[in-house]
Amino acid sequence: SSRPTQAAMDALTTVIRHLCNGLNLDPRSQVVYSNTFGGARTTKPAICGHRDWADVSSYTSCPGDMAYPLLETVRQSV
């Protein structure tokens, strides 16, 4: 219900940067997800929120209405 602090955004960017480096993943790319159990297949941004997966999973509002719009800034900052 409130916007993340700058410290929280900086920490998130740092963690995701390390994950992307370790996985050799471009944070601005798209990834293909294939569910081996149900056969669902979908393409999503490499950095996205839980709510982006509603088509293949149960819906959540994560990361929240105040943080969700900031994901593009995170992608660009990583």
Side-chain angles (χ1 to χ4, degrees):
S1 61
S2 62
R3 184 180 171 99
T5 64
Q6 188 59 53
M9 294 302 296
D10 292 345
L12 177 64
T13 300
T14 297
V15 168
I16 292 176
R17 181 180 299 121
H18 287 293
L19 288 170
C20 287
N21 286 338
L23 296 169
N24 196 29
L25 180 66
D26 179 348
R28 292 169 297 278
S29 70
Q30 300 280 316
V31 295
V32 177
Y33 169 77
S34 298
N35 185 322
T36 56
F37 294 106
R41 185 176 172 91
T42 188
T43 301
K44 304 289 180 190
I47 297 173
C48 58
H50 290 153
R51 66 174 68 187
D52 293 314
W53 295 88
D55 57 337
V56 293
S57 184
S58 57
Y59 176 83
T60 72
S61 60
C62 183
D65 291 334
M66 298 301 288
Y68 187 76
L70 301 174
L71 289 179
E72 183 58 36
T73 301
V74 171
R75 287 183 200 103
Q76 297 305 318
S77 297
V78 169

